[in-house]
Amino acid sequence: MFLRSSGINAEYGQFIAELGSKCTMQPDIHTGYGCATLSWLEKHDRDTLKRYKHCGTIADLIVYDMCGLNESVISDHNAQSWGFFDEKTHSWSDETLVKANITFKLPKVLRFGSKVGNIVNDKYRIKLGARVNIPIGDLQGSVYSVLGNKSGRVFNYGTASQLVYSIRDEDDNQVLPHSVRRTLYTEDFNLLTAASLNGGNAINLIYDQLFHDKGIDYDNLMNEAYSKRNTTLTVDPVFLGERHDTRKFGSFSNIQLNNFTIGDIAAATFRGIINNLISMMEHFRGDQSAPLYAVGIADREIMQYYLREVIGEFILHEQEVTAAYGAILFDIDNEIP
């Protein structure tokens, strides 16, 4: 059987904090990291672990089955997102795993672009014998579909929101705030990402809770927001908290008699989404001259307005951005023979 990573809520916040303090190599480990889940299960539910022999991501499970493997494998991209991974040696940190009381066998780590095996069954309707490469990370695939193997910045607006910098490996020497995560990308570049839990979901919450039953459709809400784009109302739309600061939540401020209309609230929420990402970057100073690509806001004039106001000029990326499409492009360019 194959165990995948998942979030476990009960008492998890305190457990994560204690785990981070013991494992100083990666004190910013979060809910959903594979090694955090394994450490929890080792301590609280050994019976569940006894039912499994292997672990990995969902993509690793599919590759495991496609190729008829007898062990689980994982890319260095995804291993890094599991925590307790040594970026210098591209291997699990044995010392940290001991501190976290993880005895379960972790997947073998392969470099991105590596061959895993070949298709051995026809259930996937793919030609038998076709080469299968190690799955890369979702973030890396999504960014690659926009930037490819070059420097640049990506603002992505979806259910959540992200601001990503692709920078050359030799230039990646800054001490980063806990709100910015460094991830492996290509041979030449790393990604520095402020990944907020709050994005389109914040607008949807405002709409569903305050305006939906008032007969206002979503398009009208966008128009109202744009008409109030210079609002003095301030909204910090951190309604779901953030990974790096679980004690922080949303707020409204500077409320006045004339700035609490439907348009004001929506506009201030949109602006707050971008301001939150900027605050997450804190003292990080990336290359502000690098091209900025905006994803997911082609039909959001209000977001285009605030992005230009807060960050600067951008290139509107109107093509669909998916990790799957980016993964194909990535393997074409980075496949290891």
Side-chain angles (χ1 to χ4, degrees), residues 80 87 165-176 180-184 188-192 284:
Q80 186 183 32
E87 299 172 21
Y165 282 73
S166 172
I167 65 173
R168 288 195 174 276
D169 183 57
E170 61 265 26
D171 297 330
D172 185 9
N173 53 15
Q174 296 191 48
V175 176
L176 301 176
V180 177
R181 186 162 177 262
R182 175 185 287 107
T183 53
L184 301 170
D188 301 317
F189 295 91
N190 292 331
L191 299 180
L192 303 182
F284 169 69

Side-chain angles (χ1 to χ4, degrees), residues 23-56:
C23 307
T24 55
M25 174 189 169
Q26 188 162 356
D28 60 339
I29 192 164
H30 302 296
T31 299
Y33 281 31
C35 284
T37 299
L38 285 175
S39 183
W40 170 275
L41 291 171
E42 293 269 16
K43 181 177 181 179
H44 295 280
D45 195 357
R46 290 283 306 165
D47 289 339
T48 292
L49 282 182
K50 290 177 182 178
R51 297 165 48 203
Y52 297 90
K53 295 181 179 179
H54 308 288
C55 62

Side-chain angles (χ1 to χ4, degrees), residues 243-290:
R243 297 179 183 90
H244 66 282
D245 187 355
T246 57
R247 297 167 299 178
K248 180 181 178 182
F249 290 101
S251 64
F252 288 68
S253 61
N254 199 37
I255 299 173
Q256 301 171 26
L257 290 175
N258 62 350
N259 74 351
F260 206 59
T261 67
I262 291 170
D264 287 292
I265 294 172
T269 302
F270 277 117
R271 184 174 57 200
I273 291 168
I274 297 176
N275 283 335
N276 180 53
L277 285 174
I278 296 300
S279 70
M280 288 175 65
M281 282 294 183
E282 292 185 20
H283 302 297
F284 169 69
R285 291 292 178 264
D287 182 3
Q288 301 302 311
S289 66

Side-chain angles (χ1 to χ4, degrees), residues 294-307:
V295 178
I297 63 172
D299 60 345
R300 293 286 181 267
E301 190 176 9
I302 184 67
M303 285 297 278
Q304 295 177 35
Y305 175 84
Y306 284 135
L307 187 62

Side-chain angles (χ1 to χ4, degrees), residues 124-308:
Y124 296 97
R125 299 184 181 180
I126 301 175
K127 182 181 178 181
L128 293 177
R131 170 173 170 149
V132 178
N133 287 350
I134 192 71
I136 67 171
D138 284 350
L139 173 66
Q140 290 88 342
S142 296
V143 172
Y144 205 87
S145 69
V146 179
L147 290 180
N149 187 31
K150 63 183 181 182
S151 62
R153 298 174 290 166
V154 177
F155 167 76
N156 182 51
Y157 174 76
T159 302
S161 59
Q162 301 87 31
L163 182 59
V164 185
Y165 282 73
S166 172
I167 65 173
R168 288 195 174 276
D169 183 57
E170 61 265 26
D171 297 330
D172 185 9
N173 53 15
Q174 296 191 48
V175 176
L176 301 176
H178 287 305
S179 51
V180 177
R181 186 162 177 262
R182 175 185 287 107
T183 53
L184 301 170
Y185 185 42
T186 67
E187 290 289 349
D188 301 317
F189 295 91
N190 292 331
L191 299 180
L192 303 182
T193 306
S196 173
L197 296 173
N198 303 273
N201 50 17
I203 291 295
N204 291 339
L205 178 66
I206 290 290
Y207 176 72
D208 291 341
Q209 295 294 323
L210 300 180
F211 307 130
H212 180 65
D213 60 354
K214 299 185 183 302
I216 300 171
D217 62 36
Y218 204 79
D219 289 337
N220 189 37
L221 183 66
M222 298 302 103
N223 294 333
E224 290 289 333
Y226 191 77
S227 72
K228 295 291 185 177
R229 59 190 178 277
N230 295 317
T231 182
T232 56
L233 179 68
T234 299
V235 176
D236 189 8
V238 189
F239 304 136
L240 295 179
E242 293 292 6
R243 297 179 183 90
H244 66 282
D245 187 355
T246 57
R247 297 167 299 178
K248 180 181 178 182
F249 290 101
S251 64
F252 288 68
S253 61
N254 199 37
I255 299 173
Q256 301 171 26
L257 290 175
N258 62 350
N259 74 351
F260 206 59
T261 67
I262 291 170
D264 287 292
I265 294 172
T269 302
F270 277 117
R271 184 174 57 200
I273 291 168
I274 297 176
N275 283 335
N276 180 53
L277 285 174
I278 296 300
S279 70
M280 288 175 65
M281 282 294 183
E282 292 185 20
H283 302 297
F284 169 69
R285 291 292 178 264
D287 182 3
Q288 301 302 311
S289 66
L292 171 65
Y293 293 85
V295 178
I297 63 172
D299 60 345
R300 293 286 181 267
E301 190 176 9
I302 184 67
M303 285 297 278
Q304 295 177 35
Y305 175 84
Y306 284 135
L307 187 62
R308 187 172 290 109

Side-chain angles (χ1 to χ4, degrees), residues 91-129:
S91 62
W92 303 110
S93 171
D94 292 335
E95 179 182 352
T96 310
L97 293 175
V98 170
K99 291 180 180 179
N101 300 314
I102 295 176
T103 60
F104 195 90
K105 183 180 179 181
L106 291 172
K108 178 182 178 181
V109 179
L110 299 181
R111 186 69 167 161
F112 56 75
S114 298
K115 177 182 177 180
V116 174
N118 299 90
I119 298 287
V120 297
N121 61 63
D122 58 6
K123 72 169 69 172
Y124 296 97
R125 299 184 181 180
I126 301 175
K127 182 181 178 181
L128 293 177

